[in-house]
Amino acid sequence: MRSVFVALDLETTGLDPETDAIIEIGVVKFRGETVLDEWGTLVRPERPIPPAVVELTGIRPEEAEQAPPLRALLPRLRALVGDAVLVGHSIDQDLAFLRRYGLFRENEALDTYELAAILVPYAGGHSLSTLARDLGIPVEVVHRALEDARLTHRLFQALFERACQLPEPILEEIVRHAARFPWPPRRFFEEALRAVQRGRFADQSIGAQLRAKGRATAEAYLAPPPVRARPLRPRREPQPLDEEALARLLEPGGALSRIFPDYEHRPQQVEMLRAVAASFNEGAHRMIEAGTGVGKSLAYLIPAAVWALHNGERVVISTYTIPLQEQLLQKDIPVLQRLLSESGMADGSALRVALLKGRAHYLCPARLMQLRHAGPSSIDELRMLVKILVWLPTTRTGDGDELYLPTPAERALWARLSADNEACTAEVCAAWGEGGCFLHRARKAAEAAHLIIVNHALLFADVTTQNMVLPEHRHLIIDEAHHLEEAATRQLTVEIDRFGLLRLLQEAGGARDHRTGGLAGALTTLSRGLPPALRGPLTGLTRRLSEAVEAARTGVDVLMDALVAFLEAAAPGRGEHARKVLLQGAERQRPAWAAVEQAWDLLSARWRTVQETLAAIRTALTELLEHGFAEVEEPLGLAQVLSHDFERARQVLEAAIRNPSPDTVYWLEGHGEEGSWPHVRLHAAPLEVGPLVRRHLLGSRRCVIMTSATLQTVDRERQAPSFAFLKERLGAWEMEELALDSPFDYRRNALVYLVTDIPEPGQAGYQRAVEQAVLEAARAIGGRTMVLFTAYAPLRRAARALADPLARLGISVYEQGDGSSRRQLVERFRSAERAVLLGTRSLWEGVDIPGEALSCLIIAKLPFEVPDEPIFAARSTRYRDPFLDYAVPEAVLRFRQGFGRLIRRRSDRGVVVILDRRVLTRTYGAWFLTALPPCTLHRGPLSDIGSVLKDWLMGAAAK
């Protein structure tokens, strides 16, 4: 690397350059691996250093007060950097502080965060220290400026070496596209290309191998390996499972205990395996609740795999979350394959497993090639294209989840490059390599697989497309089944907003500035290649389409403005959250709704004109295709897709505005501030999904297993756990039932502390009491506490109130909503010695923090749904007693999920503190306690929380 760079890092009192101050500077000047100079110094901040910053950096206020002021240090910093290229992790944040003093306004700057997002998308995280560890760089000290600058230098070098291992044609293409934009990483990739051309790096890469074969072209990296396996062939007469032989695998002395000597026999796991095997043999549907620690994944995987292998039949396994899919693929299925082989039950290596996702997850090679040929039109498009080009030589799946796309803009760009295009067919994509395109390759792999892993959303996408998404199958296992109704609702909900309608019009008639063409542009290009006699009619249709689209655009603006006016009339309040209006009854009688109907009448007429023109275009293109003009295939496919999408949008708008269906919930949602709603979206969702589940999932399959750790609520009459609520919601009345308790000793390991003297939620003093309870618990056990809220507002108030008093105790506060991902928050909490984690809805489940890191779980409030949430409000009307028959059972399921965060292993021990006194004062409160495992209960005042916590946990230590 020929250029001189300077790695820069600052420590500051906060993130706002206007109000915060620099407290430390670290600089490393280098050329390649050679360090030319380095310098680090503390800076007198002229303002207090927050306790959280003191804890993070270890910089004590008295140290900083002895340091020189910033202005005394700027000349040396300016001289050291000179005109070198600056390098930093999120460098813009640091430069924002320095440029206030006139420094480095002309210097180029490279951000290692942006480079890592391109070159290391798979990293466990993209913080400086996490990236360094992932790349094998030693990390000793973090959050000190000079150490972080040194780490930035080493990370930059590692990223440069990674760039130099890219195939030369890829680097050349990146540099060519980047030359059109003022994009800082351009210099980085130019340096990498020069290094490769000089032979700086020994090239053992994919690029070298392809060049040796004469295939080093841009297109060479678009050929996923072909799928060789043949689709399964079911046996004419299925071979039943030997339940006893399967059970012996998990019994003491069985194959699993021989493979894993530490394996603990769990009778509940064996019972579940037997139940699943019996369901396969009998062709029965069964709902199985398996408590934490049962090991349900292996209990259903073993019979599913043996059935599939012996009978040549696919089994589909559906999950709600990605972490469970990862657990199945990376942990459980490898164990399963080894178990089958070593037990002699089957050849585990012959078990084929496929992960299948929705079309929007897969890269479309045709769409990518169009972008590569046309070139990106913005820096955002350039960045996305570079990420994909770097990823192409290594991906085997084309799954966009392998990329790091943290922003909405990047995810929107991915959507335009994905295979979410109904015009896509296997024949059209066959040209993109021997294996075809990524989507069709994934589907071929699924056809040849014994076990197909999907998520609930794809399961219902298959339902809505008349089983066109998944290969034919008769056996289905639904894990995390308590989320099935939510997943179905989300998948079947349609959303319409201004941006979506205008984008659809743009795909038909091109952009308003006419720089991008859409279907109209494709037709114009096509017309130029046609004989003059055929050119005229197509040119006329193209003109008609452009005119109709322009008129419809105006109609969209009129309709959306009318919806904004209606929302302002119906929801005049303002706040930080979205406002939602359920479109039923009195709301449709408002004067502002009449204006919405009139606006739709105007747009509807213009929309139909576009649809009629698309129909005429389809007819004309079909005739050309029949006369041998093969080049019309692509625009014809686009016209067909657009016709489908335009009709779908028209039907939804017509129903929502003029002819609402009694089986559908319609609502309007707006996001805005300062007296306006700039973002308004119309939603339509099914009122009930039970009939759909019953007809399309249960009615069309031989065997369906639904399982989860939380499927039961409480029967009001018997005051006992019951599957009835979920069965009613899912239309699954005939499913057989099995409830398996956890093998954990909750009475010995879990204490539930019921606070008796706290105000009820909504009463004066409640929020303050919650904060005091958290403080008492954290003080008593040195953090190790997670607090579950039901909304962000009280969470933020608690975070503000607790930050300083806990910081004085050396305890950090991590709060959901601070910009960190859920995974980052949990990892920080898990690795911190003394911390409190404040979370809301997404932390009530799917969080696994075993051991002493989480010793106290505080539930601030019973997790009832917001009463005016549109879908919840509409479904509530179907019940005689909406609160007791619907709201309480929903909350009980969520409460059980939250409780389950505490005890994750047999050796775990801890306390759950419930700060909602309604569990003691209301009749329904007992249902929440009945739904829990048999724990030790303790009632007491708020002031005793600390002492009870310490006594309980010290008892664990003594034992």
Side-chain angles (χ1 to χ4, degrees), residues 790-866:
T790 59
Y792 278 107
L795 182 154
R796 292 186 185 118
R797 287 196 292 271
R800 288 194 296 269
L802 292 167
D804 285 346
L806 287 178
R808 287 193 288 271
L809 297 169
I811 298 172
S812 303
V813 177
Y814 300 120
E815 61 175 299
Q816 197 170 9
D818 69 350
S820 303
S821 69
R822 186 178 84 154
R823 183 174 68 175
Q824 289 171 329
L825 277 175
V826 171
E827 285 304 317
R828 287 177 195 161
F829 175 73
R830 195 198 317 266
S831 61
E833 291 185 7
R834 298 166 62 85
V836 170
L837 174 59
L838 309 181
T840 186
R841 185 157 187 163
S842 70
L843 288 185
W844 281 75
E845 62 180 294
V847 174
D848 194 3
I849 309 174
E852 294 184 355
L854 176 57
S855 297
C856 177
L857 176 74
I858 297 178
I859 295 177
K861 184 179 177 183
L862 297 178
F864 287 107
E865 183 62 87
V866 179

Side-chain angles (χ1 to χ4, degrees), residues 566 569-571 581 586-595:
F566 171 79
V581 176
E587 296 297 346
R588 293 179 179 270
Q589 304 306 314
R590 291 178 180 272
W593 188 254

Side-chain angles (χ1 to χ4, degrees), residues 916-935:
D916 192 330
R917 197 157 56 93
R918 291 176 294 180
V919 297
L920 297 173
T921 62
R922 306 296 171 89
T923 301
Y924 62 79
W927 304 352
F928 287 87
L929 300 179
T930 300
L932 296 179
C935 305

Side-chain angles (χ1 to χ4, degrees), residues 174 178 298 326 379 417 460 481 615 708 730 788 806 932:
I174 290 172
L298 210 54
E326 292 174 344
I379 287 181
L417 294 171
F460 285 100
S708 168
L730 298 176
L788 296 178
L806 287 178
L932 296 179

